């Protein structure tokens, strides 16, 4: 089973107008930050299941980190409404996750609505963009409830393309403190926490309920090889989950990039990356690991 654990809400319900096709050079040349509902559905054809989510904005601050993620939707819909609408086009395939800001005034009411009415089965947090310390009281209150309810978290981890994001809030060593405090909370540290691969491996290897996803990593061949080699040498590739980070990259692009890593190693006379470990990442049943079956 191929499960994409990291896909973003389409920014537009219908076709994306040319003026809304945005990119960010800090992410990569030509990497798009916009996409339509139809484009999302088409891009997800190679996978069996996908988690879909938005990013909750800062209360009273900029409405959307990085880009206007809700640009092409009814302005009365928030990121959780959109995730539910995306999932509704194929409920057997798409699983909506909510996104909240730990300091938003209505957090309990929106949590209840997202889970009880919209059917969200986990949460996406981007604490560096949201400017929230993961070991703050507000964050810990949210984590405590998520652990009690058995809902997994996908954390943005690693680099940022936003100048005002707080990088230490997205460092895997901060997630280590969270995992120690909440040992039953299932967590995914996204993007292999690039460029902190070694720290990411150290954290996911020691905690039974913590994994990383490889979204974004295959787009940078040298760093992808380094990350895979670190995880391979510590026998930790079983803690790596498949994710694309759509709309930035598609699942097919991500699979192709992963499968190119062993070839990259051979062509550059680098220590090998076993192809069976690559295929295991692509075909890992992440839903079972996260309790979402």
């Amino acid at each position: 089973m191929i499960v994409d654990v990291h896909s973003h809400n389409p920014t537009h319900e219908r076709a994306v107008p040319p003026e809304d096709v945005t990119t960010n050079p800090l992410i990569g040349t030509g990497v798009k930050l916009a996409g339509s509902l139809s484009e999302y559905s088409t891009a997800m054809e190679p996978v069996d299941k996908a988690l879909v989510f938005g990013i909750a904005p800062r209360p009273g601050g900029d409405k959307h980190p990085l880009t206007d993620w809700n640009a092409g939707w009814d302005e009365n819909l928030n990121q959780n409404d959109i995730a539910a609408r995306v999932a509704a086009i194929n409920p057997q395939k798409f699983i909506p996750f909510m996104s909240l800001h730990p300091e938003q005034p209505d957090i309990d009411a929106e949590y209840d609505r997202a889970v009880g009415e919209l059917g969200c089965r986990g949460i996406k947090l981007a604490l560096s963009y949201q400017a929230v310390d993961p070991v703050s009281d507000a964050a810990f209150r949210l984590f405590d409830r998520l652990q009690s309810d058995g809902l997994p978290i996908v954390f943005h981890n690693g680099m940022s393309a936003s100048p005002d994001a707080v990088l230490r809030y997205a460092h895997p060593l901060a997630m280590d403190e969270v995992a120690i405090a909440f040992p039953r909370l299932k967590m995914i540290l996204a993007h292999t926490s690039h460029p902190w691969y070694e720290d990411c491996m150290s954290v996911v290897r020691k905690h039974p309920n913590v994994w990383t996803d490889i979204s974004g990593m295959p787009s940078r061949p040298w760093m992808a090889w380094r990350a895979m080699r670190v995880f391979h040498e510590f026998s930790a590739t079983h803690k790596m989950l498949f994710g694309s980070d759509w709309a930035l990259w598609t699942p097919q692009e991500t699979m192709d990039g992963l499968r190119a890593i062993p070839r990259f190693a051979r062509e550059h006379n680098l220590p090998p990356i076993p192809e069976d470990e690559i295929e295991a990442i692509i075909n890992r049943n992440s839903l079972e690991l996260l309790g979402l079956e």
Side-chain angles (χ1 to χ4, degrees):
M1 175 181 287
I2 301 176
V3 181
D4 189 336
V5 301
H6 198 126
S7 70
H8 292 275
N9 288 342
T11 55
H12 292 69
E13 185 173 14
R14 299 178 179 84
V16 181
E19 63 271 19
D20 285 355
V21 177
T22 60
T23 62
N24 187 314
L26 292 179
I27 295 175
T29 303
V31 177
K32 294 197 307 179
L33 290 169
S36 68
L37 183 58
S38 175
E39 289 173 314
Y40 176 81
S41 183
T42 299
M44 292 297 137
E45 287 178 359
V47 307
D48 298 299
K49 303 280 186 178
L51 311 184
V52 58
F53 40 68
I55 301 175
R58 302 178 188 179
D62 293 335
K63 187 175 181 182
H64 302 281
L66 282 183
T67 189
D68 187 350
W69 295 107
N70 300 14
W73 293 86
D74 185 313
E75 64 180 11
N76 294 315
L77 301 178
N78 71 11
Q79 67 280 348
N80 303 325
D81 296 308
I82 295 171
R85 290 205 176 190
V86 174
I89 67 175
N90 191 340
Q92 301 305 311
K93 181 170 185 172
F94 302 131
I95 300 172
F97 269 35
M98 61 183 165
S99 185
L100 303 169
H101 191 288
E103 297 171 353
Q104 67 186 77
D106 65 341
I107 186 168
D108 290 328
E110 181 61 12
Y111 184 118
D112 291 340
R113 189 183 77 90
V115 174
E117 297 180 23
L118 301 179
C120 295
R121 301 185 61 195
I123 191 169
K124 166 65 183 289
L125 295 174
L127 298 180
S128 58
Y129 293 113
Q130 294 173 307
V132 176
D133 190 331
V135 296
S136 65
D137 289 343
F140 267 40
R141 282 194 295 272
L142 177 57
F143 300 155
D144 185 58
R145 183 171 185 187
L146 291 163
Q147 178 174 257
S148 295
D149 292 343
L151 301 182
I153 304 179
V154 178
F155 284 107
H156 170 81
N157 244 216
M159 300 173 69
S160 169
S162 178
D164 67 346
V166 184
L167 288 177
R168 69 184 179 90
Y169 296 167
H171 197 285
L173 295 185
M175 303 299 105
D176 180 50
E177 295 185 52
V178 175
I180 291 170
F182 300 95
R184 294 183 289 106
L185 182 61
K186 295 181 184 293
M187 300 162 44
I188 298 175
L189 312 186
H191 314 308
T192 334
S193 304
H194 62 77
W196 303 308
Y197 302 123
E198 291 87 352
D199 292 329
C200 179
M201 179 278 299
S202 299
V203 174
V204 304
R205 185 172 179 262
K206 66 175 281 206
H207 293 292
N209 285 322
V210 183
W211 296 266
T212 187
D213 77 42
I214 54 80
S215 59
M217 179 262 280
S219 66
R220 302 171 179 89
W222 165 244
M223 298 190 80
W225 173 82
R226 287 180 55 211
M228 286 299 307
R229 189 66 197 176
V230 166
F231 275 78
H232 167 70
E233 289 188 4
F234 280 88
S235 301
T237 59
H238 67 287
K239 300 304 293 285
M240 305 177 90
L241 309 182
F242 180 79
S244 67
D245 206 13
W246 190 93
L248 282 71
W249 296 278
T250 67
Q252 190 60 58
E253 289 170 333
T254 304
M255 283 186 266
D256 292 344
L258 275 175
R259 288 171 171 147
I261 297 173
R263 183 173 68 250
F264 178 87
R266 292 192 298 270
E267 291 173 349
H268 294 82
N269 297 313
L270 297 169
I273 303 296
E275 294 185 4
D276 62 334
E277 293 185 17
I278 297 290
E279 294 303 317
I281 294 169
I282 294 172
N283 292 282
R284 182 153 291 129
N285 187 351
S286 300
L287 299 188
E288 181 179 16
L289 297 174
L290 298 172
L292 294 174
E293 282 194 319

